[in-house]
Amino acid sequence: MTTPKHGIVLGGGWAGMLAAHVLARHAETVTVIERDVLPDAPRHRKGSPQGRHVHVLWSSGARLIDGLLPGMVERLLKAGARKVNFHQDLVTLTSHGWQHRFPPRQYALMCTRPFLDWHVRDQILAGGRVTVRQRTEILDLVGDGTRISGVRVRDMDGGDTETLGADLVVDASGRGSRLRHWLSALDLPPVEEDVVDAGIAYSTRIYQAPPGATEGFPAINVAADHRVREPGRFGVVYPQEDGTWMVTLSCTRGAGLPTTEEEFLPYARTLRHPLVADLINGAEPLTPVAVSRVGANRRLYPERLERWPEGLVVVGDALAAFNPIYGHGMSAAARAATALDEQLALGVDEAGSARRVQRAISASVDDPWIMAASKDVEYVGCRMNAKDPRLTGGATARQRFSDLIADRAIRSSAVCDVVTDVISLTAPQSELASNRFLSLMHQDRMLPVLTAPPLTPDELSLVKLSPSSLAGVKGVPR
Ligand SMILES: Cc1cc2nc3c(=O)[nH]c(=O)nc-3n(C[C@H](O)[C@H](O)[C@H](O)COP(=O)(O)OP(=O)(O)OC[C@H]3O[C@@H](n4cnc5c(N)ncnc54)[C@H](O)[C@@H]3O)c2cc1C
């Protein structure tokens, strides 16, 4: 691989725009190929259907984005994104009970996806170093098993096909990437793939929040309990940039999903606690129900191929996509973009450079992968076609340990801090096996079990609820 003069990025979504931004620091020209017309304002588009559902950007991802695009977090906050401090600004019923609201450690940015995508894309394109070819479809890779030299594309309006040359092609075409197919057409052996599919589905509606409630009322999260060996149901009420609540109800395989306006509220009542239903009961719905059934964990292992062609790397959901409930996809893509930047800075002139770059990018997605996949295998009805030894052996012992951590984290501030660092991808997953953490698990003081959501009287009055209305609890320890 030679130092890239011209880089091509396949896909102008979140991962593609970040990859294009870092590539532009190293290559003379960068072209993004995108099927959609990318909106010039925060608007939905066809190629990003997940944009209708709740998204959080964890603090680790936000910090990386701010490093790549200085001032971006402040820009998002000024424009209305909510900064939700964990666990001070979040009331959450975990699998093991209500989480105490400990002082902040990490945070998540909450806002709509079109808003987030547009701000990031706008700042990248304002730099003037990235060109987007819109309404252009990627057909296949050009080159052979030793080197990729470009990509064949089709103009979606005129129908003309064309070959575009590049020294480096970055596949960021998302979950639907045809990379495996493209590589096998070049006579390369199949890229190994692991899939862990708990059958996650999302159903989302936006509501007008009561005045002041997107600032003065916490984000709400009611999770399933995998230990009951029933399909899981989840619900969140998350504040958005425009004074609305985005309400997402989700489930694992077999739990059904509300797909109509009539079904939405009754379904919310079937969660382990009625808080989500009580909040939306009095709120004005602003949108119909949007449904998505895209939530399997899927990971490719390109770095394991005996021969990996020069001039090609893969990032974002095309490389590894996760159950969205953990909120890791965008932060993982930010990690990949940072790894790409670092690797390009090291130079890519030597033979085997593309494999080295890919190895670094692949390493950056390992923590979110194992976190999501190892949790999802615990859900009843989860389908697995994976060889990762961490998923195929020692399940009972692993589950017992993660249950122990979950039980401690809701009642111990020190344990919760470490777990929040790991969940937010700020600290490595290996931190949970460190001596420091194991001794915290045994020594730290535990607060009593909470029997009701930890909401203050002021918060309750903001949404016109009373403590007594929150009494009905299913499957939560009293
Ligand atoms: C329901 C849901 C909720 C989620 N919630 C969160 C969350 O809370 N936090 C979080 O961090 N992540 C979340 N994610 C994950 C997050 O949305 C993805 O990780 C992220 O969008 C991946 O970006 P990407 O650029 O890799 O892929 P995509 O966003 O899918 O972008 C791929 C792009 O490639 C284009 N493209 C594809 N094929 C072609 C082609 N042949 N020709 C031309 N263009 C093409 C598409 O139009 C698209 O623009 C969620 C995902 C889902 C499904």
Side-chain angles (χ1 to χ4, degrees):
M1 186 163 148
T2 52
T3 302
K5 285 194 180 57
H6 181 49
I8 289 188
V9 178
L10 310 181
W14 177 261
M17 291 313 298
L18 293 179
H21 176 66
V22 300
L23 193 48
R25 294 173 169 180
H26 306 276
E28 286 169 19
T29 53
V30 176
T31 307
V32 173
I33 309 296
E34 171 56 52
R35 207 157 37 187
D36 275 357
V37 172
L38 297 176
D40 56 6
R43 275 198 301 271
H44 289 289
R45 65 182 176 93
K46 195 170 165 219
S48 186
Q50 70 269 37
R52 299 201 180 269
H53 300 281
V54 98
H55 272 75
V56 302
L57 177 63
W58 276 109
S59 43
S60 70
R63 283 189 285 266
L64 290 174
I65 299 294
D66 221 36
L68 297 173
L69 297 163
M72 179 50 70
V73 169
E74 201 185 332
R75 172 176 169 168
L76 292 167
L77 292 173
K78 269 198 184 141
R82 309 300 317 155
K83 182 177 180 182
V84 173
N85 292 300
F86 277 58
H87 283 272
Q88 184 171 282
D89 304 334
L90 180 80
V91 165
T92 184
L93 177 60
T94 73
S95 51
H96 286 66
W98 290 105
Q99 168 77 54
H100 278 272
R101 292 170 74 177
F102 295 124
R105 174 76 173 192
Q106 299 297 333
Y107 68 88
L109 291 183
M110 295 190 180
C111 56
T112 61
R113 212 25 228 278
F115 168 96
L116 185 58
D117 283 356
W118 177 76
H119 279 285
V120 166
R121 191 169 63 237
D122 182 60
Q123 189 151 326
I124 289 172
L125 295 181
R129 297 179 54 87
V130 173
T131 305
V132 184
R133 288 234 353 212
Q134 311 187 61
R135 300 277 303 146
T136 306
E137 189 181 21
I138 307 146
L139 297 177
D140 40 37
L141 297 175
V142 175
D144 57 32
T146 60
R147 172 178 295 277
I148 300 304
S149 55
V151 59
R152 211 162 58 85
V153 299
R154 186 177 71 89
D155 181 303
M156 293 177 70
D157 297 316
D160 294 345
T161 61
E162 188 185 348
T163 296
L164 305 175
D167 312 288
L168 178 61
V169 173
V170 180
D171 179 17
S173 57
R175 276 182 185 261
S177 163
R178 290 174 49 76
L179 184 71
R180 294 179 94 214
H181 168 82
W182 293 332
L183 292 179
S184 66
L186 298 175
D187 284 337
L188 283 162
V191 181
E192 282 180 44
E193 180 184 46
D194 277 349
V195 179
V196 175
D197 181 5
I200 296 292
Y202 268 42
S203 180
T204 298
R205 263 193 119 170
I206 295 179
Y207 288 78
Q208 184 58 57
T214 49
E215 293 91 14
F217 191 75
I220 302 296
N221 179 6
V222 173
D225 182 357
H226 57 275
R227 295 167 303 171
V228 297
R229 307 301 301 156
E230 284 171 9
R233 292 182 172 198
F234 311 76
V236 300
V237 180
Y238 284 172
Q240 305 295 299
E241 69 273 11
D242 52 2
T244 60
W245 275 335
M246 194 177 285
V247 181
T248 290
L249 304 175
S250 52
C251 66
T252 61
R253 179 168 291 105
L257 191 73
T259 56
T260 65
E261 293 171 14
E262 293 69 35
E263 291 166 353
F264 202 78
L265 178 59
Y267 189 94
R269 291 234 172 271
T270 68
L271 301 180
R272 283 168 63 226
H273 192 276
L275 180 55
V276 171
D278 289 347
L279 288 172
I280 61 178
N281 191 28
E284 181 198 350
L286 300 175
T287 63
V289 175
V291 171
S292 165
R293 298 185 186 278
V294 181
N297 302 287
R298 174 189 153 277
R299 177 177 181 181
L300 295 184
Y301 297 94
E303 68 282 5
R304 289 188 190 160
L305 268 195
E306 224 164 84
R307 286 184 294 137
W308 180 253
E310 295 298 329
L312 177 68
V313 292
V314 49
V315 299
D317 280 14
L319 173 67
F322 318 106
N323 172 351
I325 280 181
Y326 308 107
H328 283 157
M330 294 188 296
S331 294
R335 284 157 75 102
T338 307
L340 176 64
D341 194 25
E342 288 165 0
Q343 290 296 318
L344 291 175
L346 289 177
V348 284
D349 291 330
E350 287 167 18
S353 300
R355 178 196 285 278
R356 187 200 79 219
V357 175
Q358 187 60 55
R359 209 178 275 142
I361 292 171
S362 294
S364 77
V365 300
D366 190 59
D367 267 358
W369 158 258
I370 198 59
M371 228 182 289
S374 64
K375 180 79 189 158
D376 280 8
V377 293
E378 294 171 15
Y379 286 108
V380 63
C382 181
R383 293 174 190 160
M384 178 163 85
N385 184 2
K387 293 203 183 91
D388 188 326
R390 296 167 296 180
L391 300 172
T392 51
T396 317
R398 191 186 57 234
Q399 186 168 331
R400 226 181 284 133
F401 184 54
S402 82
D403 283 342
L404 191 65
I405 294 175
D407 177 61
R408 296 279 196 282
I410 59 173
R411 297 185 293 134
S412 151
S413 177
V415 172
C416 182
D417 278 354
V418 179
V419 171
T420 308
D421 283 355
V422 170
I423 289 175
S424 65
L425 303 180
T426 305
Q429 158 98 354
S430 56
E431 192 66 27
L432 299 179
S434 68
N435 287 338
R436 186 180 83 88
F437 181 67
L438 295 178
S439 71
L440 270 183
M441 287 273 287
H442 287 106
Q443 286 165 17
D444 196 51
R445 194 172 63 89
M446 299 290 149
L447 295 178
V449 169
L450 290 169
T451 57
L455 288 160
T456 66
D458 282 352
E459 289 166 348
L460 285 169
S461 83
L462 200 57
V463 294
K464 299 191 172 43
L465 290 179
S466 66
S468 59
S469 68
L470 298 176
V473 184
K474 277 202 288 173
V476 181
R478 284 179 175 277

